[in-house]
Amino acid sequence: MKRRVTIALIAEEAGVSVPTVSKVINGRPEVAPETRQRVEKLLHKHGYQRRGGHGDGPVGLVDLVFAEIESPWAMELIRGGETAAREADASVVISVMHTHSGPGRDLLDRIAARRTDGVVIVGSRLSPVQHGQLSARMIPFVVVDPEGEPSPDVASVGATNWNGGLSATRHLLELGHRRVAVIGGPPDMLCSRARIDGYRAALETAGMPVDPDLIRYGDFLVGSGHDQGHALLDLPDPPTAIFAGSDLQAFGVFEAARQRGLRIPDDLSVVGFDDLPLARSAWPPLTTVRQPLQEMAALATRMVMAMSRGEPPETRRVELATDLIVRDSTAALRPAAHDGAARRR
């Protein structure tokens, strides 16, 4: 008969006391790093579950952990997470890692010590070690917009980035543009690769060649949109349309075009991605691909609270639909637009 997994069993295999295992489970700091790692591996290996779930039931606290929080993109996710938590009479704690490499041990210890119901991790990579550390502490977690391909047993929420890249590029092609450029995010980021793959698919489906000179990478922020926008418009045969990969990069392209005396959309059409509130008030109002950021964070928060009640998610990977929102930053190709872009380099 298989032995029931208990703290005593874990302590016996790890060669430590029962109180030491309890301290690891509860994120207490007074455990040597080597001992903590040994205990965590055994907890993960045996799939230990505390009797009655995580503590005595949900405590009404959810952690939102961000890689960075400076952009309006993060603000939309916070609004979504707070809305879902408020509906469940729960509160939210926001932490910022200032790194995209996932939560460190110190942060995980602090989270475990406050007996959170679960963690929503936004825009970062989660290594197998970090996965094991969260699992060993019995902390339910969901990753929103993961940077890399998540493990099959990790619950995650994202958007249909490939389809968004496809529809943005197809929109520009349908307007008659043939020199269509793209500015992605970091090349190793999952959502960036998917958007550029959608861009490629739209061109290939339309029988258009994929010009490597028209594919650029940034960091999804205004500065890289500005710099890459200038680089694209410096080409001997510049684009007449740019799919900027994010709204912030689109705003950077706006500024690069303005500095050259180019008019949007008369001389250059621009499409963003996100549909931040700023997209509607930009001048001209930005055509963009809406990804439902608030809904993504709200769903992840509901999922993690359900997991804290012992309810496994119905599916581990959820992708919410994106939609093309056509405003005033795109227009049909004018015969003079291509010459105008080249003339103002």
Side-chain angles (χ1 to χ4, degrees), residues 155 303 307 311-316:
M303 287 171 65
M307 291 163 69
E311 304 169 15
E314 294 181 6
T315 179
R316 290 281 171 180

Side-chain angles (χ1 to χ4, degrees), residues 41-239:
K41 285 182 178 178
L42 288 168
L43 289 166
H44 185 54
K45 171 186 172 183
H46 289 290
Y48 172 80
Q49 294 293 322
R50 185 159 31 203
R51 192 180 304 173
H54 191 69
D56 297 323
V59 298
L61 188 66
V62 176
D63 276 79
L64 297 183
V65 178
F66 287 82
E68 58 87 17
I69 205 171
E70 285 76 22
S71 75
W73 177 87
M75 295 300 105
E76 292 300 292
L77 291 163
I78 290 172
R79 289 188 183 100
E82 287 186 327
T83 297
R86 187 168 59 251
E87 290 170 353
D89 292 324
S91 299
V92 167
V93 175
I94 298 169
S95 302
V96 185
M97 297 178 292
H98 303 293
T99 175
H100 288 258
S101 59
R105 186 187 298 274
D106 289 345
L107 176 58
L108 294 179
D109 284 345
R110 292 197 300 272
I111 289 171
R114 59 176 167 257
R115 313 282 293 182
T116 187
D117 291 331
V119 182
V120 175
I121 303 170
V122 180
S124 67
R125 297 181 185 278
L126 194 68
S127 70
V129 171
Q130 291 160 336
H131 181 189
Q133 290 170 346
L134 282 160
S135 299
R137 291 165 171 80
M138 280 70 69
I139 301 174
F141 65 94
V142 177
V143 182
V144 173
D145 205 16
E147 283 203 4
E149 190 69 43
S151 171
D153 60 342
V154 171
S156 64
V157 178
T160 53
N161 289 288
W162 184 91
N163 190 67
L166 177 80
S167 55
T169 309
R170 183 174 288 166
H171 168 66
L172 294 169
L173 294 172
E174 289 172 349
L175 290 172
H177 295 278
R178 293 299 175 260
R179 293 287 291 171
V180 179
V182 64
I183 305 173
D188 60 346
M189 191 175 287
L190 185 64
C191 64
S192 174
R193 296 200 308 268
R195 292 172 199 179
I196 290 180
D197 286 346
Y199 159 87
R200 291 177 184 274
L203 291 175
E204 291 167 356
T205 301
M208 300 290 297
V210 178
D211 184 347
D213 286 342
L214 296 180
I215 300 175
R216 303 298 170 111
Y217 295 92
D219 57 10
F220 286 142
L221 300 177
V222 174
S224 62
H226 171 270
D227 295 346
Q228 295 298 343
H230 273 303
L232 287 166
L233 294 170
D234 276 337
L235 291 172
D237 189 11

Side-chain angles (χ1 to χ4, degrees), residues 2-33:
K2 186 177 179 181
R3 295 175 67 184
R4 185 167 68 88
V5 181
T6 63
I7 290 180
L9 174 62
I10 299 295
E12 179 184 334
E13 288 197 23
V16 299
S17 67
V18 168
T20 297
V21 176
S22 180
K23 288 176 182 177
V24 172
I25 290 172
N26 291 297
R28 298 281 296 278
E30 59 268 22
V31 179

